[in-house]
Amino acid sequence: MTLRIFNPEHDIALAANLSNFTAPHAGRQLRHDLGFLSALWAQEGDIVLTDDVELAERSFLRLAHSAEKHLGVSLLRPNLRFAPSKPGVCSVQTQGVDPWGWDRALKARLHRVGVSDSVMPSDEQIDTIRQLSHRRTSARLLPFLRCKGTVGEAFEFTTSDEVECLLKKHAHLVLKAPWSSSGRGLRFIHETMEGNPHVQGWLHNMLDAQGSVMAEPYYNKVKDFGMEFEALADGSVRYLGLSLFHTANGAYAGNILATESAKREMISRYVPDGLLDEVQTEICRQLASVFKDQYAGPFGIDMMIVRSGETAREDFLLHPCVEINLRRTMGHVALALTPQDDEVKRVMRIEYADNNYKLKIQRL
């Protein structure tokens, strides 16, 4: 029996690196309203730990009905049960724990509900996961993925002077916090930091709080997408599928639900299939050596199609590693809802209405 947990506040908790951590209200509400999502990976007899058992059961049954009706996907599992996040609830012996992502705050929370240390990472292992989650891992991977048809570079700086030097080479930069939640921790600089006290203040605060900052040239983005993977216990990396997602003001807005072949056809309008295969193979090869004996579990790599020219189709290039998310992603959720038919295409959205977050499957 495996304990499944949805902890969407993971990225913020990872940045804070505290055992006694209180997530912002939005993170706590996401965990409460969408706690049933972990059931998507559950097997027979597993337990889904959630803040509100009744809501989770009701929401999961609603999603299962929608997935069966619109996608031809069966989500129901025999003897699957939901349990509240209360002390003593998980005193029964579990064979493992499968969270959205590992951090100190989650481990402390699981201790409080009775989960044994024997099925959780040590503090040292969690520290390793945190270091691998630093955006420098993406920057180090990028050079190995550079080939014809790709673009992208990233730098780690520890002083504002280094950022100014890069501005002389690239007029437009994106600054990123080493650890931050999706869509946050970004600042844009154009030409110079002079006359922009907001960005200057953010940069100095980030250098003090996290020790460094990542800087990247600004690219003319055409489309977001990603690849989802799993690092296995034997040291290998397995490709799981494409994730075609939407963002609004940098925040996640939704995923396309379609077969792998249908998603590849959508991306092949911009870059050739062969390039995707080449990048995918190299990611598996490079990260197998990085993650071996360090991390086993799901992860995703965000990518984007960028335009190098003004209008010509052949000017589309692939940025093969915008960032690595060393955890589950909404792309993994979308893969669990992959339709059986190439002709079926839907969109999965997380909507906030009536003071609640809801997952909806809708027509494109």
Side-chain angles (χ1 to χ4, degrees):
M1 180 267 288
T2 297
L3 189 66
R4 313 280 179 174
I5 307 147
F6 177 56
N7 55 315
E9 72 276 17
H10 164 71
D11 288 342
I12 303 173
L14 206 63
N17 200 30
L18 299 171
S19 295
N20 296 317
F21 169 76
T22 300
H25 174 74
R28 299 197 307 274
Q29 186 163 4
L30 266 173
R31 187 179 71 201
H32 174 274
D33 296 347
L34 302 181
F36 65 92
L37 285 183
S38 295
L40 291 173
W41 301 280
Q43 302 297 318
E44 180 178 358
D46 285 351
I47 294 177
V48 176
L49 193 67
T50 181
D51 293 348
D52 188 327
V53 170
E54 183 179 346
L55 174 63
E57 291 176 336
R58 187 170 64 247
S59 299
F60 182 61
L61 287 176
R62 186 184 300 116
L63 175 62
H65 174 75
S66 183
E68 182 75 38
K69 178 181 178 180
H70 298 293
L71 306 170
V73 176
S74 177
L75 299 179
L76 298 180
R77 302 288 184 269
N79 301 319
L80 173 66
R81 67 186 182 96
F82 295 83
S85 303
K86 294 181 179 179
V89 168
C90 298
S91 57
V92 296
Q93 184 61 44
T94 60
Q95 295 174 330
V97 181
D98 179 29
W100 191 256
W102 278 111
D103 53 69
R104 287 182 177 272
L106 176 65
K107 184 176 179 180
R109 176 184 161 208
L110 293 177
H111 266 146
R112 292 193 291 271
V113 299
V115 178
S116 169
D117 275 335
S118 64
V119 294
M120 293 194 290
S122 66
D123 291 345
E124 291 75 16
Q125 288 172 314
I126 289 180
D127 286 341
T128 297
I129 291 171
R130 184 174 186 267
Q131 289 304 316
L132 289 172
S133 300
H134 192 293
R135 280 192 165 107
R136 71 165 67 95
T137 303
S138 304
R140 290 172 177 173
L141 176 62
L142 257 176
F144 296 100
L145 305 182
R146 288 293 301 272
C147 58
K148 184 178 180 181
T150 68
V151 68
E153 53 185 347
F155 308 90
E156 182 179 9
F157 293 141
T158 57
T159 69
S160 57
D161 288 343
E162 291 173 305
V163 176
E164 290 281 12
C165 287
L166 189 62
L167 267 173
K168 295 176 182 178
K169 181 179 179 182
H170 300 282
H172 308 289
L173 293 181
V174 182
L175 301 184
K176 298 182 178 181
W179 294 282
S180 67
S181 59
S182 298
R184 300 186 179 185
L186 305 182
R187 293 296 184 274
F188 299 89
I189 308 178
H190 304 289
E191 306 294 347
T192 179
M193 285 194 295
E194 291 184 11
N196 195 334
H198 177 70
V199 173
Q200 287 179 320
W202 177 89
L203 175 58
H204 289 128
N205 289 338
M206 191 55 57
L207 292 173
D208 288 340
Q210 297 193 16
S212 65
V213 69
M214 305 303 297
E216 305 172 9
Y218 174 83
Y219 298 103
N220 185 4
K221 181 176 69 176
V222 175
K223 189 174 186 63
D224 285 308
F225 77 106
M227 290 183 183
E228 308 301 339
F229 300 86
E230 183 178 16
L232 303 177
D234 65 5
S236 63
V237 171
R238 179 165 67 102
Y239 171 70
L240 300 179
L242 287 173
S243 169
L244 274 57
F245 60 90
H246 304 289
T247 58
N249 298 319
Y252 174 81
N255 258 85
I256 299 294
L257 302 180
T259 62
E260 182 74 2
S261 59
K263 289 182 289 188
R264 286 179 71 95
E265 192 278 328
M266 295 178 197
I267 295 298
S268 67
R269 301 170 191 173
Y270 304 94
V271 295
D273 264 1
L275 180 58
L276 294 179
D277 291 335
E278 185 177 350
V279 167
Q280 171 198 318
T281 299
E282 192 62 20
I283 287 171
C284 290
R285 191 173 74 86
Q286 293 294 332
L287 291 185
S289 60
V290 174
F291 293 160
K292 183 175 174 58
D293 299 325
Q294 305 294 317
Y295 176 76
F299 68 95
I301 296 186
D302 289 347
M303 305 178 180
M304 61 184 177
I305 306 296
V306 305
R307 193 190 301 276
S308 63
E310 292 298 322
T311 58
R313 182 184 187 279
E314 59 268 21
D315 283 340
F316 293 133
L317 298 172
L318 170 65
H319 190 312
C321 185
V322 177
E323 68 179 34
I324 300 173
N325 296 300
L326 210 61
R327 54 168 170 78
R328 289 200 192 276
T329 70
M330 295 309 293
H332 289 94
V333 175
L335 288 177
L337 298 172
T338 299
Q340 302 299 305
D341 191 334
D342 284 344
E343 299 302 314
V344 175
K345 298 180 180 66
R346 295 290 188 272
V347 63
M348 177 190 80
R349 290 193 174 94
I350 305 296
E351 295 185 353
Y352 184 75
D354 301 324
N355 298 317
N356 292 109
Y357 288 99
K358 295 181 180 180
L359 185 149
K360 294 187 175 181
I361 298 173
Q362 301 170 332
R363 293 186 179 275
L364 281 172

